[in-house]
């Protein structure tokens, strides 16, 4: 009875989300981008982490002229669905519209070296692939226990390596490089965590940087070119996960 | 009464009247470098004066603790009226951190309970390089000890100041810079005051046919003929734009000079003039095709921003020209065409170094590689006219080897740099607009599973494997190891027999078999034909406790008695013996477990 009640509640919430998604789409098509962005954002705030919602939200933000939030949402969509063609194209378009046109920072060298193959796989694919191979490995190991056969030994080794690769990839996707996107008009990056520290360089809306360290109110960021410094947290949107609500740029 | 009134009137007269309150502020200079100290002096007159409230302005830093606080009191008696003037003077160190014409807001001082504001002050803040030649010490610390004497009697007031104009060369090539310097000095001694008609500045001569650079001002103390002078040197780079003889006009200074003499202060109006100078400008020989237009002494180098070069990531490539000459005449170098990357127009930056002629000019190109491979940026040439050689000289940079790594967005690389219009004409890689939203979508997904789920998923298969392996091992042992199989099955077999005892035709026989069978299975021994004495011996040899042995043998002996006597056990006896047998088997299990533990 209780399970049935929970199921019905979840079903109702899901229907409500679907309705909100459709309303947001309608607002977008009526060129009410602000309204559409608000509704997409509400879906995200309700705990939905769907690449299509992030993609549509990115579009709405782009139409509103907010390059930073647009880039951040396209990046989120691509984190969840790396093969999503529309998100890739629109991210390219948005980056081309930024002032600095900075490329995305590179991943750690160990990730680049070990996980060069997993760019186009989603977290779900690597996770379930890893689980299936892991179960298969133990099954083959059990079969080998029952029947000593060299072929089973080879199969077990191969399955173990494949499962380990997919599990490592899953881990890397669950804890990706922490990316942030500049959202303020001009985000000052300084040598230290004080406004009195020397200005190193400035980020423009849509510039993507890697977050390397945090201090209260400050993030240590680095660009793809290796420039590094501290920027105020409020000027940057953390891409996630977790997919927190991006801050709207301050209006004068 | 009249005496009291007279005394009061006398007291009133004797009480000093405070002077009219007033405040003022002054700066020790009109031009200052970025982050260079200058002094702000606040003066307030009044009886009860509070500390000034320092103003706040963008980029202005005023040290809160005053460098000096002077308090002086002056009492004047005029026509029997006593006037007391208390003057407070605070001096603060201050700096500006950005260039431009700056304003220091009014300073608030409270005098006798009322607020008074000083007027706003203006100061020009220039780049450090523009004033590098100025003394870098904080004002007030750089002065030499003044000559504690009046000027020598043989020196007239006219001799207390001097004005000189010079150029560092009389012959130059067209386009070659030279330095024009005008020096004005005044005798440095207490009481000597020099006030120019134009304040502290001097108009530098304008030379026809020349390009003139910015004026640099340098203040210092020098010694001339054994006397100390405060000298201000005004210098500027000049570049002849045509050949022939050019005339540097005379420079003049008018002002008033006051100096102490034995008979009191003496002052006079003084005028100073410099001679005109002639500059011979030689034409340049025929220029080669790659001549950059620069004339002077230069060095030239190229560098690429450190760090990995990544496909699609902009990288700065700097061409640096440094030397002595006219920075404006150094044109951007010809950058070679590179088909593997996009190159922007350079960002040009000029840094004036020491003196007006030394400079560094950098041309920063943004390169955005579009192909990941090993590439070479060919050498770049810089041709200039060298006055020492009297000829043209070409400097070449070394080729730069670049390894471009594949970018994270290699499949969809955006070639960046340049203007949008340039991109659309040359490197069209994007559509006209963003792709539309996706509307057909059902089943909005929740965030991915948490890490705990992964731990469960990875932990379950090995645990299942371990369970299966144990089960298989158990079954295999049951098949292959008789002792193990008998031990594992002993309990169930004996319990089954005990349950049959009550319904059996010969309960004593059945009970006997159950007990000896259990012992036989547990110890993996032949149980058929075992007597109570045999059981006692066996249990004794196995080291079981005496109580267990006796209990076990007692039940067996009771069964033997009934078997051999031929009588039948009644229901109560059967139940009592069955319960005792079950307990004996439990005790046997416990004893065996104890033995296993002891062995372990």
């Amino acid at each position: 009875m209780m399970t049935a009640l929970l199921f019905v509640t979840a079903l109702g919430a899901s229907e409500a989300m679907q309705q909100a998604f459709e309303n947001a789409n309608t607002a977008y098509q009526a060129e009410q981008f602000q309204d559409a962005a608000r509704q997409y954002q509400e879906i995200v705030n309700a705990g939905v982490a769907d690449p299509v919602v992030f993609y549509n939200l990115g579009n709405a933000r782009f139409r509103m002229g907010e390059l930073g939030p647009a880039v951040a949402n396209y990046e989120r969509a691509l984190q969840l669905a790396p093969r999503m063609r529309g998100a890739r194209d629109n991210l390219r378009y948005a980056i081309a519209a930024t002032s600095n046109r900075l490329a995305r920072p590179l991943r750690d060298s160990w990730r680049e070296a070990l996980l060069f193959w997993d760019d186009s796989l989603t977290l779900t694919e690597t996770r379930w692939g890893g689980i299936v191979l892991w179960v298969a490995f133990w099954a083959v190991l059990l079969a080998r226990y029952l029947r000593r056969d060299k072929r089973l030994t080879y199969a077990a080794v191969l399955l173990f390596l494949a499962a380990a690769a997919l599990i490592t990839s899953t881990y890397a996707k669950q804890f990706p490089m922490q990316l942030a996107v500049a959202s303020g008009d001009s985000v000052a990056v300084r040598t230290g965590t004080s406004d009195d520290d020397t200005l190193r360089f400035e980020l423009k809306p849509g510039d993507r940087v890697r977050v390397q360290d945090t201090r209260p109110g400050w993030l240590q960021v680095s660009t793809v070119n290796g420039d590094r410094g501290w920027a105020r947290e409020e000027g940057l949107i953390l891409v996630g996960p977790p997919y927190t609500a991006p801050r709207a740029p301050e209006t004068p | 009464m009249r005496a009291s009134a007279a005394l009061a009137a006398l007291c009133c007269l004797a009480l000093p009247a405070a002077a009219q309150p007033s405040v003022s502020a002054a700066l020790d200079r009109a031009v200052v470098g970025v982050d260079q100290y200058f002094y702000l002096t606040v003066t307030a007159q009044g009886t009860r004066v509070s500390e000034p409230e320092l103003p706040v302005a963008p980029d202005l830093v005023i040290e809160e603790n005053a460098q000096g606080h002077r308090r002086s009191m002056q009492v004047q008696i005029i026509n029997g009226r006593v006037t007391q003037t208390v003057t407070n003077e605070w001096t603060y160190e201050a700096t500006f951190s950005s260039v431009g014409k700056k304003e220091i807001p009014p300073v608030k001082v409270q005098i006798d309970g009322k607020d008074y504001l000083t007027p706003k002050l203006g100061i020009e803040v220039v780049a450090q390089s523009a004033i590098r030649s100025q003394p870098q010490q904080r004002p007030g610390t750089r002065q030499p000890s003044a000559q504690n004497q009046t000027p020598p009697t043989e020196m007239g007031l006219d001799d207390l100041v001097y004005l000189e104009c010079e150029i560092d060369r009389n012959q130059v090539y067209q386009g070659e810079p030279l330095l024009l310097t005008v020096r004005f000095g005044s005798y440095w001694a207490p009481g000597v005051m020099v006030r120019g008609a134009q304040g502290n500045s001097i108009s530098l001569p304008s030379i026809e046919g020349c390009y003139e650079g910015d004026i640099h001002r340098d203040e210092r103390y020098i010694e001339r003929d054994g006397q100390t002078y405060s000298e201000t040197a005004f210098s500027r780079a000049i570049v002849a734009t045509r050949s022939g003889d050019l005339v540097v006009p005379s420079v003049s200074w008018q002002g008033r000079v006051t100096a102490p003499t034995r008979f009191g202060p003496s002052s006079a109006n003084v005028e100073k003039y410099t001679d005109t100078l002639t500059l011979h400008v030689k034409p340049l020989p025929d220029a080669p095709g790659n001549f950059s237009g620069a004339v002077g002494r230069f060095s030239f180098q190229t560098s690429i921003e450190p760090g990995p070069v990544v496909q699609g990531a902009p990288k700065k490539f700097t061409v640096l020209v440094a030397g002595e000459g006219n920075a404006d005449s150094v044109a951007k170098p010809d950058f070679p065409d590179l088909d593997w990357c996009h190159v922007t127009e350079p960002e040009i930056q000029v840094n004036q170094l020491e003196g007006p002629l030394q400079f560094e000019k950098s041309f920063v190109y943004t390169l955005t590689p579009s192909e990941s491979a090993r590439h070479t940026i060919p050498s770049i040439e810089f041709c200039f006219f060298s006055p020492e050689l009297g000829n043209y000289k070409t400097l070449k940079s070394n080729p730069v080897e670049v390894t471009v790594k594949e970018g994270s967005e290699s499949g969809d690389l955006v070639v960046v740099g340049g203007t949008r219009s340039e991109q659309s004409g040359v490197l069209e890689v994007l559509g006209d607009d963003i792709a539309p939203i996706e509307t057909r979508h059902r089943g909005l997904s929740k965030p991915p599973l948490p890490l705990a789920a992964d731990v469960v998923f990875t932990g379950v298969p090995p645990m299942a494997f371990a369970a299966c392996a144990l089960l298989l091992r158990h079954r295999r042992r049951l098949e292959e190891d008789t002792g193990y199989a008998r031990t594992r099955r002993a309990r169930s077999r004996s319990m089954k027999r005990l349950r049959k005892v009550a319904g059996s035709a010969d309960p004593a026989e059945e009970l006997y078999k159950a007990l000896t069978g259990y012992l036989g299975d547990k110890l993996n021994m032949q149980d058929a034909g075992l007597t109570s004495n045999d059981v006692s011996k066996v249990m004794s040899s196995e080291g079981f406790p005496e109580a267990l042995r006796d209990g076990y043998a007692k039940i067996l002996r009771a069964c033997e008695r009934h078997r051999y006597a031929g009588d039948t056990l009644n229901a109560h006896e059967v139940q009592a013996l069955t319960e005792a047998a079950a307990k004996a088997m439990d005790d046997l299990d416990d004893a065996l477990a104890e033995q296993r533990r002891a062995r372990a």
Side-chain angles (χ1 to χ4, degrees):
Chain A
M1 183 69 179
M2 195 66 188
T3 313
L5 191 66
L6 283 172
F7 178 73
V8 169
T9 311
L11 203 66
S14 169
E15 285 296 317
M17 285 295 119
Q18 193 65 40
Q19 190 57 49
F21 177 69
E22 278 160 22
N23 291 345
N25 291 347
T26 309
Y28 184 93
Q29 281 158 342
E31 300 194 351
Q32 294 164 355
F33 301 119
Q34 198 158 0
D35 194 28
R38 182 184 54 75
Q39 293 188 62
Y40 287 129
Q41 192 62 62
E42 280 172 7
I43 298 171
V44 173
N45 294 346
V48 171
D50 191 283
V52 173
V53 175
F54 284 129
Y55 167 68
N56 288 1
L57 177 55
N59 275 10
R61 293 286 191 189
F62 186 86
R63 292 289 186 216
M64 288 164 67
E66 295 175 0
L67 269 179
V71 170
N73 282 295
Y74 291 142
E75 285 286 358
R76 287 172 180 152
L78 286 172
Q79 262 185 7
L80 294 167
R83 298 190 296 275
M84 193 175 189
R85 181 83 200 166
R88 276 195 296 167
D89 289 347
N90 288 2
L91 177 62
R92 282 188 330 175
Y93 199 93
I95 293 297
T98 62
S99 306
N100 290 336
R101 301 173 194 191
L102 277 179
R104 184 189 293 142
L106 294 174
R107 297 190 292 180
D108 288 326
S109 49
W110 73 267
R111 291 192 188 199
E112 286 291 328
L114 284 179
L115 304 173
F116 57 90
W117 46 270
D118 77 341
D119 279 346
S120 58
L121 296 176
T122 65
L123 173 63
T124 311
E125 286 163 350
T126 56
R127 168 177 281 137
W128 286 109
I131 288 169
V132 167
L133 290 174
W134 185 240
V135 171
F137 161 72
W138 287 102
V140 170
L141 210 62
L142 194 64
R144 190 193 158 280
Y145 182 82
L146 291 170
R147 208 181 78 189
R148 303 234 169 227
D149 189 332
K150 268 193 173 177
R151 284 172 299 180
L152 288 174
T153 309
Y154 296 143
V157 169
L158 286 176
L159 282 168
F160 177 80
L161 292 175
L166 282 169
I167 289 169
T168 310
S169 170
T170 305
Y171 173 82
K173 282 179 186 290
Q174 277 210 335
F175 301 99
M177 169 181 70
Q178 192 56 267
L179 209 61
V181 181
S183 66
D185 282 344
S186 179
V187 180
V189 183
R190 300 180 182 279
T191 52
T193 56
S194 161
D195 289 326
D196 297 332
D197 283 317
T198 310
L199 180 73
R200 285 200 125 152
F201 57 96
E202 284 185 332
L203 296 171
K204 298 291 178 193
D207 284 350
R208 291 165 295 177
V209 287
R210 180 180 180 170
V211 179
Q212 294 194 309
D213 199 359
T214 57
R215 295 272 186 283
W218 293 82
L219 299 175
Q220 190 187 37
V221 297
S222 64
T223 67
V224 66
N225 300 318
D227 295 326
R228 189 152 51 152
W230 291 90
R232 278 202 168 276
E233 199 178 22
E234 58 260 27
L236 297 163
I237 300 169
L238 289 171
V239 169
Y243 304 107
T244 48
R247 285 177 292 275
E250 285 177 19
T251 46
Chain B
M1 183 71 184
R2 283 176 68 185
S4 303
L7 190 63
L10 192 65
C11 286
C12 283
L13 279 174
L15 273 176
Q20 197 71 7
S22 70
V23 289
S24 64
L27 301 175
D28 70 323
R29 58 187 65 194
V31 180
V32 70
V34 173
D35 292 329
Q36 191 180 29
Y37 282 97
F38 62 91
Y39 274 168
L40 166 68
T41 306
V42 181
T43 311
Q45 279 186 358
T47 315
R48 285 181 295 115
V49 183
S50 67
E51 278 262 337
E53 268 186 46
L54 295 175
V56 177
D59 303 330
L60 169 67
V61 177
I62 303 177
E63 301 290 342
E64 280 187 15
N65 297 323
Q67 283 293 105
H69 178 208
R70 254 185 12 208
R71 192 167 188 271
S72 60
M73 191 164 68
Q74 195 178 6
V75 180
Q76 283 181 316
I77 305 173
I78 301 168
N79 296 330
R81 186 176 173 79
V82 182
T83 311
Q84 179 184 300
T85 311
V86 181
T87 307
N88 284 273
E89 192 181 89
W90 294 269
T91 308
Y92 298 92
E93 280 182 354
T95 53
F96 268 106
S97 56
S98 63
V99 179
K101 285 194 188 313
K102 304 289 183 185
E103 207 166 67
I104 297 174
V107 182
K108 192 161 86 175
V109 184
Q110 205 176 56
I111 304 172
D112 301 327
K114 280 187 177 176
D115 288 342
Y116 291 86
L117 292 173
T118 65
K120 287 179 193 168
L121 298 170
I123 189 166
E124 188 177 357
V125 184
V126 296
Q128 277 283 9
S129 57
I131 52 140
R132 190 158 292 180
S133 51
Q134 289 191 16
Q136 289 299 300
Q137 295 98 327
R138 293 178 180 187
T141 62
R142 60 192 166 90
Q143 293 175 349
S145 56
Q147 294 151 123
N148 291 320
Q149 60 193 41
T150 53
T153 47
E154 66 271 18
M155 287 179 78
L157 289 175
D158 193 53
D159 299 327
L160 297 181
V161 292
Y162 63 85
L163 184 68
E164 292 170 350
C165 178
E166 63 179 31
I167 47 177
D168 62 346
R169 270 159 290 171
N170 291 324
Q171 278 198 8
V172 289
Y173 281 96
Q174 187 182 338
E176 181 187 353
L178 73 152
L179 196 64
L180 168 75
T181 308
V182 175
R183 291 194 176 86
F184 175 76
S186 59
Y187 192 84
W188 175 248
V192 174
M193 286 168 59
V194 176
R195 285 192 184 139
Q198 297 175 341
N200 288 333
S201 69
I202 286 176
S203 296
L204 263 60
S206 183
I207 307 164
E208 201 181 333
C210 278
Y211 164 86
E212 291 160 352
D214 295 334
I215 296 172
H216 291 247
R217 187 180 162 134
D218 183 10
E219 289 174 7
R220 58 192 178 137
Y221 295 90
I222 61 152
E223 196 166 302
R224 279 165 70 107
D225 304 326
Q227 309 295 335
T228 304
Y229 287 81
S230 163
E231 184 185 273
T232 306
F234 301 88
S235 57
R236 77 170 8 152
I238 55 173
V239 181
T241 54
R242 64 176 169 82
S243 58
D245 285 339
L246 302 179
V247 175
V248 181
S250 171
V251 184
S252 64
W253 180 86
Q254 289 92 35
R256 191 164 183 82
V257 178
T258 307
T261 65
R262 272 179 285 175
F263 309 106
S266 166
S267 65
N269 288 332
V270 174
E271 291 187 6
K272 292 281 176 182
Y273 296 94
T274 63
D275 296 333
T276 56
L277 303 168
T278 305
L279 176 66
H280 180 65
V281 182
K282 293 183 279 185
L284 293 179
D286 288 342
N290 60 349
F291 177 46
S292 65
V295 180
R297 285 156 284 275
F298 300 101
S299 65
F300 170 73
Q301 65 182 61
T302 59
S303 62
I304 192 159
E305 197 182 345
V309 183
V310 181
Q311 190 182 11
K315 204 80 186 161
K316 298 219 183 308
F317 184 86
T318 305
V319 178
L320 184 74
V321 178
E324 194 180 297
N326 177 16
D328 292 341
S329 67
V330 179
K332 67 168 182 173
D334 286 334
F335 199 89
D337 286 337
L338 305 174
D339 56 359
W340 51 272
C341 79
H342 181 264
V343 184
T344 62
E345 280 296 302
E347 288 173 24
I348 301 169
Q349 198 174 11
V350 179
N351 288 330
Q352 207 69 45
L353 303 177
E354 282 182 37
L357 295 180
Q358 306 287 333
F359 74 91
E360 268 184 4
K361 189 168 188 176
S362 58
F363 301 88
V364 182
Y365 297 85
T366 303
L367 315 183
T368 310
S370 53
E371 290 172 19
S372 62
R374 195 169 173 79
H375 299 287
T376 303
I377 300 171
S379 67
I380 296 169
E381 288 185 352
F382 174 64
C383 177
F384 64 96
F385 182 80
S386 167
E388 280 92 357
L389 299 174
N391 208 341
Y392 295 93
K393 188 175 178 180
T394 300
L395 298 175
K396 280 186 178 180
S397 69
N398 291 324
V400 179
E401 293 286 331
V402 177
T403 303
V404 181
K405 285 173 71 176
E406 197 171 316
S408 57
E409 294 158 359
S410 54
D412 311 290
L413 190 68
V414 181
V415 179
V416 298
T419 61
R420 295 288 304 268
S421 57
E422 278 170 358
Q423 282 199 17
S424 59
V426 183
L427 298 152
E428 183 60 48
V429 291
L430 300 171
D432 291 336
D433 199 1
I434 57 169
I437 57 166
E438 289 192 16
T439 52
R440 279 182 290 178
H441 183 61
R442 289 205 68 83
L444 298 171
S445 49
K446 289 277 175 187
L449 291 169
L451 186 66
D454 287 341
V455 173
V456 170
F457 281 128
T458 45
V460 164
M463 284 194 286
F465 169 83
C468 288
L470 285 174
L471 184 69
L472 287 169
R473 183 168 169 271
H474 171 69
R475 290 182 64 179
R476 195 178 288 168
R477 280 189 77 182
L478 285 178
E479 286 168 9
E480 294 171 357
D481 186 346
T482 317
Y484 179 79
R486 285 187 73 186
T487 308
R488 303 294 295 186
R489 289 171 184 154
R491 187 91 186 167
S492 60
R493 281 173 62 190
S494 297
M495 292 311 286
K496 206 183 278 177
R497 276 182 173 162
L498 281 183
R499 279 195 294 273
K500 283 182 187 170
V501 168
S504 169
D506 187 355
E509 176 71 17
E510 201 64 40
L511 196 61
Y512 194 92
K513 280 183 180 171
L515 274 175
T516 52
Y518 188 68
L519 186 68
D521 284 344
K522 280 287 178 186
L523 300 179
N524 192 24
M525 57 183 274
Q526 184 66 35
D527 56 308
L530 278 175
T531 63
S532 58
N533 285 337
D534 296 337
V535 168
S536 280
K537 283 178 189 168
V538 167
M539 288 181 85
S540 176
S541 66
E542 289 292 329
F544 290 119
E546 196 177 340
L548 175 64
R549 281 200 317 260
D550 292 347
Y552 221 89
K554 201 173 164 185
I555 300 166
L556 289 176
R557 273 197 287 274
C559 291
E560 280 172 343
R561 269 199 307 274
H562 286 287
R563 279 167 74 193
Y564 301 132
D567 62 347
T568 310
L569 291 167
N570 63 36
H572 289 294
E573 286 172 328
V574 169
Q575 192 183 350
L577 282 172
T578 307
E579 283 171 5
K583 187 178 179 305
M585 283 193 271
D586 288 343
D587 291 345
L588 182 65
D589 279 347
D590 292 343
L592 284 168
E594 188 64 38
Q595 282 184 347
R596 276 199 298 272
R597 273 199 295 276
R599 277 201 294 271

